[in-house]
């Protein structure tokens, strides 16, 4: 998605990146040249015999214009409907993760099973929470990948260590101001960051799944239900039911976005609009050459040969520009750089997950455990991870260590936060993003 500043409309006219006008100019030039050739080489008597009044052409011109405008309006509505659905998906799944983490953070739960209130129950809890963060991030990325018509899991890359700015373009200025690629062939357009990355077992499982988003969504449901049985998610059942409701609402948003990409704009209407638009471009020069110069009688003393070509150029260019714009808007996530900013949405969602984890950080989380090679990876796992492969547990432990190795917001002094120098100090959620979006140095 391209971000531009308002207040300078004339500068917008000359920006080529993402513009539909350069693609439409050749059709405008065709109309202008064809009109000029007719004016110069076709006798006035032939044009007079061909048509006495432009009225016979006007109904066709009106129908073509109306059909084109209607298609553009429908495409515009599809664009915003998809944007609304994806925003709903991100918001609801972010809310669901926040509820899962905060409900699980109740300090009186999970102590009785392990018989202590110290490090062990915190380790078990943190592993569950980090596993959920990885699952939510992966589910969100897979949903965005689907609506972008991309099924290559190699495009799901591991997010940078907590506290560092994203490595992929993010698009909107509110998300960092990084420029979006202008082609689907650009690897940076295809990449979506996932917290903790993907393991070999996860890749193999997803490659064999007919519905990748549904598979990870089911895993989230299973992990949450098992964690509840293990003694976590200690909120009362009526309150906990909201978690399941919000989680399902996010899935509905995802399915609404899939609807836009699964069901294309109706083919008969697309064919009709395209045919009428380009037929208009072919016929229009005949009308212009006759009536935009000297009229039906050709009695003017000095014909104005530039008027017809000029009007033909701007009219045909305008028609084709609207046609190109409508085709781009019909598929909101497919045509960069005017697509919805999937990279930015994924990075913003990851930032929210990390921010939620920051909110429940405890002093004990400052301790960095031994390396995976020296640690029993199964020692602190509850039943909620019984179906997870060993490499998934190791990746989750590594993600937990990365999170613990950075300061949280609560670890920083208030005066440091107010000072410009706090930017880039290692806050887990968004230091680099805040620096870019706020113009800090």
């Amino acid at each position: 998605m391209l971000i531009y500043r308002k207040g300078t409309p004339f500068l917008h006219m000359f920006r080529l990146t993402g513009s539909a006008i350069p693609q439409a100019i050749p059709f405008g030039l065709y109309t202008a040249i064809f009109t000029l050739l007719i004016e110069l080489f076709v006798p006035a008597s032939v044009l007079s015999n061909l048509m006495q009044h432009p009225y016979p052409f006007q109904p066709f011109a009106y129908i073509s214009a109306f059909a084109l405008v209607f298609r553009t309006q429908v495409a515009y509505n599809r664009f915003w409907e998809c944007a609304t659905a994806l925003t709903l998906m991100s918001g609801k799944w972010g809310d669901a993760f926040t509820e899962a983490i905060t409900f699980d953070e109740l300090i009186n739960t999970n102590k009785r099973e392990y018989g202590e209130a110290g490090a062990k129950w915190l380790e078990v809890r943190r592993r569950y929470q980090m596993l959920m963060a990885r699952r939510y991030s992966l589910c969100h990325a897979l949903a965005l990948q689907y609506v972008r018509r991309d099924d290559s899991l190699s495009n799901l890359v591991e997010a940078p260590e907590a506290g560092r700015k994203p490595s992929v373009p993010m698009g909107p200025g509110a998300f960092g101001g990084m420029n979006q690629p202008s082609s689907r062939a650009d690897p940076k357009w295809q990449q979506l960051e996932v917290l903790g990355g993907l393991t070999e077992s996860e890749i193999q499982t997803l490659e064999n799944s007919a519905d990748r988003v549904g598979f990870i969504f089911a895993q989230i449901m299973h992990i949450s239900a098992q964690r509840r049985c293990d003694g976590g998610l200690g909120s009362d059942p009526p309150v906990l039911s909201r978690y399941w409701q919000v989680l399902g609402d996010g899935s509905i948003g995802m399915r609404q976005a899939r609807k836009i990409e699964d069901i294309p704009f109706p083919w008969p209407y697309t064919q009709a609009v395209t045919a009428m638009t380009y037929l208009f471009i072919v016929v229009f020069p005949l009308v212009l050459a006759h009536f935009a110069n000297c009229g039906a009688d050709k009695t003017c003393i000095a014909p104005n040969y530039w008027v017809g070509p000029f009007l033909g150029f701007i009219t045909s260019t305008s028609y084709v520009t609207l046609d190109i714009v409508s085709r781009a808007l019909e598929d909101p996530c497919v045509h960069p750089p005017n697509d919805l900013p999937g990279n930015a949405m994924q990075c913003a969602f990851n930032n929210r997950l990390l921010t939620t984890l920051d909110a429940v950080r405890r002093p004990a989380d400052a301790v960095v455990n031994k390396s995976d090679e020296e640690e029993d990876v199964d020692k602190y796992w509850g039943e909620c991870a019984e179906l997870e492969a060993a490499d998934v547990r190791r990746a989750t432990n590594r993600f937990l260590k990365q999170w613990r190795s950075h300061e949280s917001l609560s670890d920083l002094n208030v005066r440091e936060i107010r000072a410009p120098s706090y930017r880039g100090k290692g806050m887990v959620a968004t230091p680099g993003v805040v620096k870019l979006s706020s113009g800090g140095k």
Side-chain angles (χ1 to χ4, degrees):
M1 175 177 285
L2 296 173
I3 299 301
Y4 58 94
R5 300 293 181 184
K6 293 180 172 58
T8 56
F10 294 104
L11 295 179
H12 299 163
M13 295 174 58
F14 303 102
R15 181 172 181 172
L16 298 181
T17 304
S19 174
I21 296 178
Q23 303 176 54
I25 285 179
F27 297 93
L29 290 176
Y30 158 79
T31 303
I33 295 173
F34 193 23
T35 302
L36 181 60
L37 292 177
I38 295 175
E39 290 179 340
L40 294 176
F41 299 106
V42 177
S45 58
V46 174
L47 294 177
S48 298
N49 293 332
L50 187 65
M51 61 182 73
Q52 294 294 327
H53 194 278
Y55 177 77
F57 177 77
Q58 290 175 359
F60 171 71
Y62 293 155
I63 293 174
S64 301
F66 177 80
L68 182 58
V69 170
F70 180 76
R71 179 188 182 184
T72 305
Q73 181 64 40
V74 173
Y76 180 80
N77 291 336
R78 283 171 61 92
F79 182 90
W80 281 111
E81 184 180 354
C82 187
T84 301
L86 290 177
T87 302
L88 174 66
M89 177 191 74
S90 298
K92 290 296 185 179
W93 279 350
D95 291 345
F97 177 78
T98 302
E99 292 178 3
I101 299 304
T102 54
F103 289 170
D104 188 68
E105 194 63 23
L106 298 177
I107 202 168
N108 63 336
T109 59
N110 223 10
K111 286 185 181 180
R112 188 163 34 187
E113 180 179 352
Y114 297 100
E116 60 182 352
K120 189 170 184 178
W121 64 264
L122 182 61
E123 286 297 320
V124 174
R125 174 170 290 164
R126 285 291 180 259
R127 276 159 172 72
Y128 156 75
Q129 294 174 348
M130 295 299 162
L131 179 60
M132 290 289 282
R134 293 184 67 245
R135 286 287 174 262
Y136 271 92
S137 179
L138 177 58
C139 190
H140 191 271
L142 289 172
L144 292 176
Q145 196 176 39
Y146 182 93
V147 297
R148 297 172 78 169
R149 301 179 186 175
D150 179 16
D151 59 358
S152 177
L153 294 176
S154 62
N155 291 330
L156 301 182
V157 299
E158 183 175 1
E161 291 188 19
R164 297 182 182 177
K165 69 180 182 180
S167 60
V168 299
M170 297 181 66
F175 293 146
M178 301 167 66
N179 293 327
Q180 282 278 85
S182 58
S183 170
R184 286 180 62 91
D186 192 327
K188 289 188 176 182
W189 181 87
Q190 302 169 13
Q191 293 175 352
L192 295 171
E193 294 182 349
V194 177
L195 295 179
L198 271 72
T199 66
E200 288 297 327
S201 63
E202 289 174 322
I203 293 175
Q204 293 177 5
T205 301
L206 291 173
E207 285 180 344
N208 295 323
S209 175
D211 185 352
R212 296 174 179 177
V213 178
F215 180 83
I216 300 300
F217 184 82
Q219 279 194 329
I220 292 174
M221 298 283 284
H222 165 75
I223 295 170
S224 301
Q226 185 60 56
R227 178 61 178 168
R228 173 69 173 175
C229 294
D230 293 347
L233 295 176
S235 182
D236 295 331
V239 178
L240 184 62
S241 67
R242 291 297 306 157
Y243 167 63
W244 305 107
Q245 179 65 48
V246 173
L247 187 60
D249 290 343
S251 181
I252 293 175
M254 184 268 170
R255 298 292 168 175
Q256 291 289 340
R258 284 186 58 166
K259 176 192 69 175
I260 301 298
E261 292 302 331
D262 288 343
I263 304 176
F265 191 88
W267 158 247
Y269 200 95
T270 298
Q271 183 188 45
V273 171
T274 302
M276 286 188 289
T277 300
Y278 292 98
L279 184 59
F280 173 87
I281 294 173
V282 173
V283 178
F284 193 41
L286 295 174
V287 180
L288 287 173
H290 187 35
F291 294 102
N293 195 353
C294 292
D297 55 2
K298 292 287 184 178
T299 59
C300 59
I301 299 176
N304 295 318
Y305 290 108
W306 66 271
V307 176
F310 176 73
L311 294 177
F313 174 79
I314 61 176
T315 303
S316 295
T317 301
S318 300
Y319 268 65
V320 177
T321 296
L322 285 179
D323 184 61
I324 295 173
V325 168
S326 65
R327 279 186 277 141
L329 294 180
E330 285 169 8
D331 302 309
C333 302
V334 179
H335 303 290
N338 296 310
D339 59 334
L340 292 173
N343 295 332
M345 292 180 178
Q346 180 65 19
C347 290
F349 186 75
N350 289 341
N351 288 337
R352 182 173 182 184
L353 301 184
L354 292 172
T355 303
T356 301
L357 293 173
D358 288 348
V360 298
R361 183 188 292 269
R362 299 172 182 271
D365 286 312
V367 179
V368 178
N369 297 325
K370 297 179 180 180
S371 63
D372 289 339
E373 291 76 16
E374 300 176 0
E375 182 184 359
D376 181 2
V377 297
D378 295 325
K379 182 177 180 180
Y380 297 113
W381 283 103
E383 296 296 330
C384 64
E386 62 178 344
L387 299 180
E388 303 296 340
D391 60 350
V392 175
R393 299 186 185 188
R394 285 193 294 269
T396 305
N397 291 344
R398 185 177 68 252
F399 175 50
L400 174 59
K401 289 183 174 69
Q402 292 175 358
W403 177 73
R404 280 177 162 165
S405 66
H406 290 81
E407 296 174 301
S408 69
L409 184 62
S410 59
D411 296 329
L412 298 176
N413 186 277
V414 175
R415 292 184 179 178
E416 293 184 25
I417 296 177
R418 291 177 179 174
S421 61
Y422 90 90
R423 293 170 178 154
K425 267 186 169 292
M427 292 169 56
V428 172
T430 56
V433 177
V434 171
K435 179 178 179 180
L436 286 170
S437 62
S438 60
K441 297 182 179 180

